[in-house]
Amino acid sequence: MTLTHDDPEVASRASAATFDEVLAELAERRDEFREQRYVSPEFVSRLKELGLYRAATPEQFGGETMPPADFLKAIERISTVDGSTGWVASFGSQLVYLGSLPLESQAELYADGPDVVFAGALFPIGQATPTERGFTVNGRWKFASGCMAADTICVGIPGDDSTSGKPRGALMPPHRLEIIQEWDVVGMQGTGSFDLVARDVEVDREWTFIRGGESVVDEPLYRYPAITYAAQSLSVVSAGVARAALDFAEEVGSGRASITGAPKLVDRAYYRAGIAEAEAALRSARAYFYEAADEAWETLVGGGLVSDGQNAHLRLSAAHLARVSADVVHKIVSLSGTAAIYRDHPLPALLGDALVPQEHAFLSPAMYDAAGAVFMGQPATVPAFR
């Protein structure tokens, strides 16, 4: 019998090989991306080949829905090689953010194919002067991760009475914006999280949407809480970075001899115990994270809706994973001795990458309070919790 790529087993092996090839290329280019401060567009095209930028495209426009846990595991795997690239790839999930964009506009957005690279810079809220057709947009926005390779970019503009006070997002092609390459940071150096500037850009009302508004796409993934999914997609980058640090500590760092003649790290009880504690902490937080994602998805594909309690677990597990991951990398650095203080050592870069996700507003310590309030039957204590 002749096997073709129509056979699921062969297709799976081919997909795995492609993923491995992309990761091998990433390992060779991650320093390049950090130095230039963004992931090159041609490499983002390689990520498209993995299906990451059609995983959240509506199926009616050619998307190939990937269950959230599967997508998140792919981002985690990329982040184990390079956190910045994992961060940029994670935005493949955020097309669900556009669920309240008019269907006609979505049809036009995906007219050339389902692999659309999205970037957004939502704060500070810009100016939007109403016109007959829409808005004249002006402003400067920060943190436009992945904008150098984006096919479409969203900027934040004010809401009004028609949006119940919720802000709007305005979509526009990248060439209508100026990209200011200001990004001098200690971690996630290659994300290209540059500033965007709009000067009297005309945006039709049909290319704006209410952020957090009701989706017009009737598919399970578009009933998954959009902001929550964004939070998960950013958090899981931390887990990949922490995994890289642990792999280094176990496979490489454990064999290092001390310049003082002291026992190798692997021969020190505190080092072995510390690494074991870090493994337990990361695996526990990761298990909670994926358990919550799987439970919510099973509810949706079964025809239900994600409950407030389920959403609280999604938000809590995401914030918790980011913090535990950062703690794990910090612990490994503290166990690793003077070698880890050198700039050419792998751990300082991993530590910088691990520190960044937990600082994102979606993953702040306030999520613990908000989740606790929901668990006890109270309203969430932060806005945009779901």
Side-chain angles (χ1 to χ4, degrees):
M1 180 176 64
T2 301
L3 295 177
T4 71
H5 280 73
D6 292 331
D7 295 286
E9 184 178 352
V10 174
S12 177
R13 289 200 301 268
S15 176
T18 300
F19 213 134
D20 289 342
E21 291 164 4
V22 171
L23 294 184
E25 180 181 346
L26 176 58
E28 294 177 355
R29 300 190 64 184
R30 59 191 171 195
D31 290 340
E32 169 196 340
F33 299 157
R34 289 172 185 169
E35 184 175 350
Q36 72 184 13
R37 297 177 297 160
Y38 63 90
V39 180
S40 296
E42 75 274 6
F43 191 81
V44 174
S45 295
R46 293 282 278 151
L47 298 176
K48 284 185 177 181
E49 296 172 13
L50 303 180
L52 297 176
Y53 289 102
R54 64 174 59 194
T57 299
E59 292 182 357
Q60 61 186 295
F61 299 123
E64 297 177 5
T65 298
M66 193 179 293
D70 291 351
F71 178 85
L72 296 167
K73 287 174 183 175
I75 299 305
E76 183 181 10
R77 189 176 171 194
I78 293 168
S79 302
T80 302
V81 180
D82 180 48
S84 292
T85 303
W87 189 271
V88 171
S90 76
F91 279 73
S93 72
Q94 297 196 29
L95 292 175
V96 297
Y97 211 63
L98 308 182
S100 60
L101 189 72
L103 275 178
E104 295 78 6
S105 300
Q106 293 194 47
E108 187 174 341
L109 178 66
Y110 301 114
D112 293 330
D115 299 298
V116 171
V117 180
F118 172 79
L122 303 176
F123 296 101
I125 297 293
Q127 299 176 348
T129 304
T131 65
E132 183 176 346
R133 294 180 56 183
F135 303 93
T136 299
V137 176
N138 286 277
R140 180 166 179 161
W141 298 263
K142 301 192 74 66
F143 304 122
S145 301
C147 62
M148 297 295 286
D151 298 311
T152 189
I153 293 179
C154 173
V155 296
I157 61 174
D160 52 30
D161 292 342
S162 69
T163 69
S164 300
K166 293 181 179 179
R168 279 194 175 93
L171 277 184
M172 57 190 73
H175 71 265
R176 301 185 71 186
L177 293 158
E178 179 184 0
I179 297 176
I180 308 294
Q181 295 191 19
E182 290 190 0
W183 186 240
D184 185 12
V185 291
V186 299
M188 296 294 173
Q189 296 172 349
T191 60
S193 301
F194 301 137
D195 291 8
L196 302 175
V197 175
R199 298 184 179 89
D200 295 327
V201 176
E202 296 288 335
V203 180
D204 290 348
R205 185 173 294 271
E206 290 74 20
W207 287 99
T208 70
F209 61 96
I210 301 172
R211 285 167 42 208
E214 185 175 352
S215 175
V216 297
V217 177
D218 185 19
E219 297 177 11
L221 190 59
Y222 279 75
R223 293 191 289 273
Y224 200 93
I227 294 175
T228 296
Y229 196 17
Q232 291 176 292
S233 298
L234 300 177
S235 172
V236 79
V237 174
S238 302
V241 174
R243 182 72 264 161
L246 273 166
D247 286 349
F248 175 83
E250 294 168 8
E251 298 171 15
V252 180
S254 62
R256 186 180 68 83
S258 170
I259 62 172
T260 67
K264 292 181 179 181
L265 293 175
V266 71
D267 295 327
R268 304 180 195 185
Y270 73 82
Y271 187 82
R272 296 192 300 267
I275 295 303
E277 290 172 359
E279 277 281 3
L282 179 61
R283 288 175 178 267
S284 297
R286 186 178 177 274
Y288 176 32
F289 177 82
Y290 284 113
E291 176 187 276
D294 284 335
E295 181 182 317
W297 184 244
E298 288 172 5
T299 296
L300 288 171
V301 297
L305 295 175
V306 174
S307 69
D308 288 342
Q310 287 176 317
N311 182 71
H313 280 295
L314 294 170
R315 294 303 299 266
L316 175 60
S317 64
H320 187 62
L321 180 61
R323 266 158 184 73
V324 168
S325 297
D327 290 345
V328 162
V329 181
H330 186 273
K331 184 178 188 69
I332 291 169
V333 172
S334 71
L335 291 170
S336 296
T338 55
I341 71 174
Y342 288 91
R343 289 184 181 274
D344 62 352
H345 194 279
L347 285 178
L350 293 172
L351 180 60
D353 285 352
L355 291 176
V356 174
Q358 66 177 346
E359 305 303 330
H360 196 283
F362 288 173
L363 302 170
S364 78
M367 298 306 131
Y368 286 84
D369 178 42
V374 172
F375 294 154
M376 289 180 277
Q378 301 298 312
T381 53
V382 299
F385 193 61
R386 67 170 297 156

